[in-house]
Amino acid sequence: MEVSSPISTPFSEQRSRRLTIALILLWLTFGWNIIEGIVAISAGARASSVALVGFGLDSFIEVTAAGVLIWRLQAADGDPRIEGRERVARRIIGTTFLALAAYVLAQSAYAVVASNEPGESTLGLALAVTSLALMPALGLAKKANANALHSHALIAESHETLVCSYLSATLFVGLGANALFGWWWADIAAALAMVPWIVKEGIEGVRAEECGEDCAAPVTEGEEHA
């Protein structure tokens, strides 16, 4: 027989605290990715780095995703339009991911054909290191909180943050190899290594898979998920 442990605070208060934590983590994601995107695109443009520019554009897509979830959590519960709007927003974000993948592929091909060798970027390396230090911790914190809320939308958004950790590592390797060994092609390789992850996120967003109310809201008291 399963015995429930006593709860010191009402379920609604626990849920409220978790939602507050979710909003704080989303705002941190929103703010950091704006800074990250501006720095990456400006540094990438100066160094003609496809990987840096692609990384920066991805940051702004993540800003959009975080903004959608912030809007969702601040919307009134029970509004019948919320779930539909969220699916539309996810499709838009997914389409943008696919457009980013197309940009990276086209720009990489152009850089190879035109022999447009990217230069070194100390600022880009510093950004990659900083992002690599921040994103895993932020992503894991968001995922743990989203799991506690049983919110599929928040879990999916936390996965995007964790993907950013992979992109940061890929960017670091590419820029580092170019800076240390003069392997300009490593920048292109790093950009292309991002594409499968970007496409995966794009396809999932475009499909905007139906998953019922769990996509839009955390569970209520008494609900359980396998």
mmCIF file of all heavy atoms in Angstrom, residues 111-138:
data_model
loop_
_atom_site.group_PDB
_atom_site.id
_atom_site.type_symbol
_atom_site.label_atom_id
_atom_site.label_comp_id
_atom_site.label_asym_id
_atom_site.label_seq_id
_atom_site.Cartn_x
_atom_site.Cartn_y
_atom_site.Cartn_z
ATOM 1 N N ALA A 111 31.265 29.737 -48.305
ATOM 2 C CA ALA A 111 32.594 29.966 -47.735
ATOM 3 C C ALA A 111 33.624 29.028 -48.352
ATOM 4 O O ALA A 111 34.776 29.425 -48.599
ATOM 5 C CB ALA A 111 32.545 29.769 -46.220
ATOM 6 N N VAL A 112 33.225 27.790 -48.627
ATOM 7 C CA VAL A 112 34.147 26.823 -49.232
ATOM 8 C C VAL A 112 34.418 27.167 -50.694
ATOM 9 O O VAL A 112 35.575 27.206 -51.144
ATOM 10 C CB VAL A 112 33.577 25.393 -49.114
ATOM 11 C CG1 VAL A 112 34.428 24.408 -49.918
ATOM 12 C CG2 VAL A 112 33.512 24.962 -47.660
ATOM 13 N N VAL A 113 33.352 27.431 -51.452
ATOM 14 C CA VAL A 113 33.500 27.725 -52.882
ATOM 15 C C VAL A 113 34.283 29.014 -53.107
ATOM 16 O O VAL A 113 35.169 29.097 -53.984
ATOM 17 C CB VAL A 113 32.118 27.823 -53.559
ATOM 18 C CG1 VAL A 113 32.255 28.331 -54.997
ATOM 19 C CG2 VAL A 113 31.438 26.474 -53.546
ATOM 20 N N ALA A 114 33.997 30.043 -52.297
ATOM 21 C CA ALA A 114 34.658 31.342 -52.470
ATOM 22 C C ALA A 114 35.997 31.425 -51.735
ATOM 23 O O ALA A 114 36.659 32.455 -51.784
ATOM 24 C CB ALA A 114 33.731 32.451 -51.981
ATOM 25 N N SER A 115 36.360 30.341 -51.042
ATOM 26 C CA SER A 115 37.597 30.326 -50.240
ATOM 27 C C SER A 115 37.626 31.497 -49.265
ATOM 28 O O SER A 115 38.665 32.136 -49.057
ATOM 29 C CB SER A 115 38.832 30.364 -51.153
ATOM 30 O OG SER A 115 38.880 29.217 -51.971
ATOM 31 N N ASN A 116 36.454 31.767 -48.683
ATOM 32 C CA ASN A 116 36.329 32.867 -47.725
ATOM 33 C C ASN A 116 36.692 32.352 -46.336
ATOM 34 O O ASN A 116 35.836 31.979 -45.544
ATOM 35 C CB ASN A 116 34.896 33.413 -47.742
ATOM 36 C CG ASN A 116 34.735 34.649 -46.873
ATOM 37 O OD1 ASN A 116 35.708 35.327 -46.566
ATOM 38 N ND2 ASN A 116 33.506 34.925 -46.478
ATOM 39 N N GLU A 117 37.979 32.316 -46.044
ATOM 40 C CA GLU A 117 38.449 31.731 -44.800
ATOM 41 C C GLU A 117 38.109 32.618 -43.603
ATOM 42 O O GLU A 117 38.468 33.800 -43.590
ATOM 43 C CB GLU A 117 39.963 31.507 -44.852
ATOM 44 C CG GLU A 117 40.395 30.579 -45.976
ATOM 45 C CD GLU A 117 41.890 30.327 -45.967
ATOM 46 O OE1 GLU A 117 42.554 30.775 -45.003
ATOM 47 O OE2 GLU A 117 42.394 29.701 -46.917
ATOM 48 N N PRO A 118 37.431 32.079 -42.604
ATOM 49 C CA PRO A 118 37.101 32.874 -41.408
ATOM 50 C C PRO A 118 38.351 33.176 -40.598
ATOM 51 O O PRO A 118 39.292 32.385 -40.549
ATOM 52 C CB PRO A 118 36.142 31.961 -40.636
ATOM 53 C CG PRO A 118 36.496 30.586 -41.082
ATOM 54 C CD PRO A 118 36.899 30.717 -42.511
ATOM 55 N N GLY A 119 38.347 34.339 -39.953
ATOM 56 C CA GLY A 119 39.471 34.714 -39.111
ATOM 57 C C GLY A 119 39.263 34.257 -37.678
ATOM 58 O O GLY A 119 38.234 33.694 -37.325
ATOM 59 N N GLU A 120 40.278 34.507 -36.860
ATOM 60 C CA GLU A 120 40.184 34.155 -35.444
ATOM 61 C C GLU A 120 39.251 35.130 -34.730
ATOM 62 O O GLU A 120 39.093 36.278 -35.137
ATOM 63 C CB GLU A 120 41.567 34.201 -34.798
ATOM 64 C CG GLU A 120 42.571 33.251 -35.416
ATOM 65 C CD GLU A 120 43.946 33.406 -34.788
ATOM 66 O OE1 GLU A 120 44.050 34.070 -33.732
ATOM 67 O OE2 GLU A 120 44.912 32.863 -35.346
ATOM 68 N N SER A 121 38.648 34.661 -33.649
ATOM 69 C CA SER A 121 37.760 35.514 -32.864
ATOM 70 C C SER A 121 37.949 35.219 -31.383
ATOM 71 O O SER A 121 37.388 34.253 -30.861
ATOM 72 C CB SER A 121 36.297 35.305 -33.270
ATOM 73 O OG SER A 121 35.441 36.097 -32.464
ATOM 74 N N THR A 122 38.738 36.056 -30.723
ATOM 75 C CA THR A 122 38.939 35.894 -29.277
ATOM 76 C C THR A 122 37.637 36.124 -28.525
ATOM 77 O O THR A 122 37.321 35.415 -27.568
ATOM 78 C CB THR A 122 40.005 36.888 -28.777
ATOM 79 O OG1 THR A 122 41.223 36.676 -29.500
ATOM 80 C CG2 THR A 122 40.267 36.694 -27.286
ATOM 81 N N LEU A 123 36.865 37.107 -28.985
ATOM 82 C CA LEU A 123 35.583 37.401 -28.351
ATOM 83 C C LEU A 123 34.636 36.206 -28.502
ATOM 84 O O LEU A 123 33.917 35.846 -27.568
ATOM 85 C CB LEU A 123 34.962 38.647 -28.974
ATOM 86 C CG LEU A 123 33.597 39.089 -28.419
ATOM 87 C CD1 LEU A 123 33.702 39.363 -26.917
ATOM 88 C CD2 LEU A 123 33.107 40.332 -29.159
ATOM 89 N N GLY A 124 34.646 35.584 -29.685
ATOM 90 C CA GLY A 124 33.806 34.426 -29.902
ATOM 91 C C GLY A 124 34.185 33.261 -29.003
ATOM 92 O O GLY A 124 33.313 32.566 -28.462
ATOM 93 N N LEU A 125 35.484 33.052 -28.816
ATOM 94 C CA LEU A 125 35.952 31.997 -27.925
ATOM 95 C C LEU A 125 35.504 32.252 -26.487
ATOM 96 O O LEU A 125 35.056 31.340 -25.789
ATOM 97 C CB LEU A 125 37.477 31.894 -27.984
ATOM 98 C CG LEU A 125 38.064 30.943 -29.027
ATOM 99 C CD1 LEU A 125 39.576 31.111 -29.109
ATOM 100 C CD2 LEU A 125 37.705 29.502 -28.704
ATOM 101 N N ALA A 126 35.643 33.499 -26.057
ATOM 102 C CA ALA A 126 35.222 33.857 -24.696
ATOM 103 C C ALA A 126 33.727 33.638 -24.513
ATOM 104 O O ALA A 126 33.274 33.155 -23.471
ATOM 105 C CB ALA A 126 35.590 35.309 -24.402
ATOM 106 N N LEU A 127 32.952 33.966 -25.550
ATOM 107 C CA LEU A 127 31.504 33.764 -25.492
ATOM 108 C C LEU A 127 31.172 32.276 -25.399
ATOM 109 O O LEU A 127 30.307 31.872 -24.618
ATOM 110 C CB LEU A 127 30.847 34.368 -26.733
ATOM 111 C CG LEU A 127 29.328 34.193 -26.831
ATOM 112 C CD1 LEU A 127 28.630 34.980 -25.740
ATOM 113 C CD2 LEU A 127 28.828 34.624 -28.204
ATOM 114 N N ALA A 128 31.870 31.459 -26.197
ATOM 115 C CA ALA A 128 31.621 30.018 -26.183
ATOM 116 C C ALA A 128 31.926 29.421 -24.812
ATOM 117 O O ALA A 128 31.164 28.592 -24.304
ATOM 118 C CB ALA A 128 32.462 29.327 -27.254
ATOM 119 N N VAL A 129 33.028 29.852 -24.198
ATOM 120 C CA VAL A 129 33.405 29.351 -22.874
ATOM 121 C C VAL A 129 32.359 29.758 -21.832
ATOM 122 O O VAL A 129 31.933 28.947 -20.992
ATOM 123 C CB VAL A 129 34.792 29.861 -22.463
ATOM 124 C CG1 VAL A 129 35.087 29.547 -20.997
ATOM 125 C CG2 VAL A 129 35.864 29.251 -23.347
ATOM 126 N N THR A 130 31.930 31.019 -21.886
ATOM 127 C CA THR A 130 30.938 31.516 -20.931
ATOM 128 C C THR A 130 29.615 30.765 -21.082
ATOM 129 O O THR A 130 28.999 30.348 -20.098
ATOM 130 C CB THR A 130 30.702 33.022 -21.130
ATOM 131 O OG1 THR A 130 31.939 33.721 -21.014
ATOM 132 C CG2 THR A 130 29.731 33.561 -20.081
ATOM 133 N N SER A 131 29.185 30.600 -22.324
ATOM 134 C CA SER A 131 27.934 29.892 -22.582
ATOM 135 C C SER A 131 28.033 28.439 -22.136
ATOM 136 O O SER A 131 27.082 27.876 -21.574
ATOM 137 C CB SER A 131 27.597 29.960 -24.073
ATOM 138 O OG SER A 131 26.384 29.308 -24.351
ATOM 139 N N LEU A 132 29.202 27.828 -22.369
ATOM 140 C CA LEU A 132 29.400 26.441 -21.980
ATOM 141 C C LEU A 132 29.372 26.266 -20.463
ATOM 142 O O LEU A 132 28.994 25.212 -19.952
ATOM 143 C CB LEU A 132 30.727 25.940 -22.539
ATOM 144 C CG LEU A 132 30.989 24.427 -22.538
ATOM 145 C CD1 LEU A 132 29.857 23.688 -23.235
ATOM 146 C CD2 LEU A 132 32.319 24.131 -23.208
ATOM 147 N N ALA A 133 29.740 27.326 -19.752
ATOM 148 C CA ALA A 133 29.710 27.276 -18.287
ATOM 149 C C ALA A 133 28.297 27.496 -17.748
ATOM 150 O O ALA A 133 27.916 26.921 -16.721
ATOM 151 C CB ALA A 133 30.656 28.329 -17.716
ATOM 152 N N LEU A 134 27.506 28.317 -18.440
ATOM 153 C CA LEU A 134 26.189 28.693 -17.937
ATOM 154 C C LEU A 134 25.061 27.768 -18.389
ATOM 155 O O LEU A 134 24.182 27.394 -17.597
ATOM 156 C CB LEU A 134 25.853 30.125 -18.379
ATOM 157 C CG LEU A 134 26.673 31.261 -17.776
ATOM 158 C CD1 LEU A 134 26.248 32.585 -18.397
ATOM 159 C CD2 LEU A 134 26.494 31.311 -16.269
ATOM 160 N N MET A 135 25.057 27.396 -19.673
ATOM 161 C CA MET A 135 23.904 26.719 -20.256
ATOM 162 C C MET A 135 23.579 25.351 -19.649
ATOM 163 O O MET A 135 22.406 25.045 -19.406
ATOM 164 C CB MET A 135 24.067 26.591 -21.777
ATOM 165 C CG MET A 135 23.932 27.895 -22.536
ATOM 166 S SD MET A 135 22.270 28.634 -22.383
ATOM 167 C CE MET A 135 22.592 29.937 -21.198
ATOM 168 N N PRO A 136 24.584 24.490 -19.382
ATOM 169 C CA PRO A 136 24.220 23.188 -18.788
ATOM 170 C C PRO A 136 23.518 23.325 -17.437
ATOM 171 O O PRO A 136 22.510 22.660 -17.180
ATOM 172 C CB PRO A 136 25.577 22.475 -18.646
ATOM 173 C CG PRO A 136 26.450 23.121 -19.655
ATOM 174 C CD PRO A 136 26.023 24.554 -19.697
ATOM 175 N N ALA A 137 24.055 24.208 -16.572
ATOM 176 C CA ALA A 137 23.445 24.391 -15.249
ATOM 177 C C ALA A 137 22.038 24.965 -15.377
ATOM 178 O O ALA A 137 21.096 24.512 -14.699
ATOM 179 C CB ALA A 137 24.318 25.315 -14.405
ATOM 180 N N LEU A 138 21.867 25.951 -16.260
ATOM 181 C CA LEU A 138 20.549 26.554 -16.454
ATOM 182 C C LEU A 138 19.572 25.542 -17.042
ATOM 183 O O LEU A 138 18.422 25.426 -16.590
ATOM 184 C CB LEU A 138 20.674 27.771 -17.379
ATOM 185 C CG LEU A 138 19.388 28.546 -17.681
ATOM 186 C CD1 LEU A 138 18.748 29.054 -16.395
ATOM 187 C CD2 LEU A 138 19.680 29.709 -18.637
#
